[in-house]
């Protein structure tokens, strides 16, 4: 099975890149399933019902989220009704939506998608430790599907590497998101778990992790509030392609970067 994970879709440039590239990639790479992180789809912060529907209609089978889940007002209702989207499993159980879902690959094979969020330097911090909840979350996923993809949305390299090792041999992939700069450490951990510290960003790379450079520099140099806006140059799709067997054991992971 060949799975594509698309790194954080940032603003309109990121959404347009997905719409332009994913249908072609599904054929060229002979993909069985496409999962994308959509936490920055709406102007770089959060996602709306309409944008999630558009992303799901453009060849993405499932959307994962992160610390910007609640940024757009009223999104909880959508999370409760759309099964093809997950928010961090270590949010409060009473929060809208789910942290584990199951979608079907091209041949009907069930694939579980899990979203977990780190606690180091992430705001707002999730209610409980991703390490504490990982066992029950993975058990819930594995009871429904042999193939399990985990989007671990976290800031600290150490926390992401640790989660990869924590889940090695227990899931198909642990894929880091949130920092938006693709790392060069994609590899398969012992036990057949594909891992990367950060899958990158799908959006405008002529920027500071998606935001217009001049606005970010004004914020850093003046230390005054500045309203962020997505940049528009240097757009590319980034992510990873994973190969695994029917039992959910990964054999390869390759980082990809595709100019629009
Ligand atoms: Fe992000
Ligand atoms: Fe994030």
């Amino acid at each position: 099975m060949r799975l594509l994970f698309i790194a954080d879709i940032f603003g309109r440039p990121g959404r347009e890149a997905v719409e332009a590239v994913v249908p072609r990639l599904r054929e060229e790479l002979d993909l069985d399933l496409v999962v994308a992180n959509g936490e920055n789809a709406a102007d770089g912060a959060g996602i709306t019902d309409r944008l999630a529907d558009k992303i799901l209609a453009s060849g993405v089978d499932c959307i994962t989220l992160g610390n910007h889940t609640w940024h757009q007002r009223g999104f909880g209702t959508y999370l409760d009704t759309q099964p093809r989207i997950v928010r961090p499993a270590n949010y409060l159980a009473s929060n809208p939506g789910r942290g584990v879902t199951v979608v079907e690959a091209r041949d009907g094979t069930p694939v579980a998608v899990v979203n977990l969020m780190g606690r180091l330097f992430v705001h707002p911090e999730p209610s409980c430790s991703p390490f504490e909840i990982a066992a029950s979350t993975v058990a819930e996923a594995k009871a429904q599907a042999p193939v399990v993809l985990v989007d671990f949305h976290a800031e600290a390299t150490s926390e992401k590497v640790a989660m990869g090792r924590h889940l090695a041999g227990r899931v198909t992939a642990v894929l880091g998101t949130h920092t938006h700069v693709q790392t060069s450490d994609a590899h398969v951990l012992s036990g057949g778990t594909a891992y990367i510290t950060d899958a990158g960003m799908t959006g405008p790379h002529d920027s500071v992790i998606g935001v217009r450079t001049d606005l970010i520099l004004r914020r850093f140099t003046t230390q005054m509030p500045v309203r962020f806006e997505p940049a528009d140059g240097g757009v590319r799709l980034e992510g990873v392609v994973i190969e695994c067997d029917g039992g959910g054991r990964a054999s390869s992971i390759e980082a990809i970067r595709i100019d629009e």
Side-chain angles (χ1 to χ4, degrees):
M1 191 179 289
R2 289 170 67 79
L3 315 160
L4 169 65
F5 180 81
I6 298 171
D8 301 35
I9 301 168
F10 199 99
R12 178 186 292 275
R15 300 192 317 262
E16 288 178 351
V18 167
E19 284 167 17
V21 175
V22 171
R24 164 166 70 84
L25 278 187
R26 283 195 85 108
E27 289 207 11
E28 280 178 17
L29 299 177
D30 195 25
L31 298 171
D32 294 290
L33 188 82
V34 179
V35 177
N37 183 294
E39 70 138 4
N40 307 112
D43 269 347
I47 185 169
T48 65
D49 309 14
R50 191 179 62 82
L51 297 180
D53 281 341
K54 276 186 86 172
I55 290 168
L56 290 171
S58 66
V60 171
D61 298 297
C62 186
I63 296 172
T64 59
L65 296 167
N67 56 308
H68 290 297
T69 296
W70 312 125
H71 203 98
Q72 300 291 331
R73 199 182 297 264
F75 192 62
T77 309
Y78 183 89
L79 284 179
D80 276 334
T81 55
Q82 171 55 267
R84 291 200 288 151
I85 185 163
V86 283
R87 48 80 170 163
N90 49 334
Y91 277 163
L92 292 173
S94 58
N95 286 164
R98 70 212 82 205
V100 181
T101 199
V102 176
V103 290
E104 284 190 356
R106 183 169 51 175
D107 68 353
T109 303
V111 174
V113 180
V114 174
N115 202 182
L116 284 171
M117 197 157 86
R119 299 235 291 180
L120 295 179
F121 321 119
V122 177
H123 303 284
E125 208 177 83
S127 64
C128 81
S129 160
F131 292 91
E132 184 179 21
I133 203 174
S136 61
T137 305
V138 166
E140 183 188 344
K142 293 210 83 145
Q144 302 173 78
V147 179
V148 179
L149 292 192
V150 178
D151 171 345
F152 186 43
H153 197 79
E155 176 77 26
T157 304
S158 58
E159 195 175 20
K160 296 203 239 189
V161 172
M163 183 58 79
R165 304 257 158 182
H166 188 55
L167 294 179
R170 298 157 72 183
V171 299
T172 307
V174 176
L175 309 170
T177 59
H178 175 72
T179 43
H180 295 192
V181 178
Q182 192 179 77
T183 53
S184 62
D185 63 340
H187 63 295
V188 179
L189 291 161
S190 64
T193 296
Y195 174 82
I196 189 167
T197 296
D198 200 276
M201 176 184 71
T202 296
H205 284 263
D206 182 2
S207 68
V208 177
I209 62 170
V211 177
R212 272 174 43 190
T213 300
D214 60 321
L215 301 177
I216 294 285
L217 289 182
R218 194 186 310 160
R219 168 87 155 256
F220 276 117
T221 55
T222 67
Q223 297 186 7
M224 295 290 284
V226 176
R227 196 170 174 276
F228 291 167
E229 290 174 29
D232 52 20
V235 178
R236 66 175 178 267
L237 180 146
E238 293 187 343
V240 290
V241 177
I242 298 148
E243 273 190 88
C244 71
D245 63 22
R249 195 180 171 97
S251 55
S252 73
I253 174 170
E254 184 192 355
I256 61 165
R257 311 174 106 185
I258 295 168
D259 292 319
E260 208 183 349

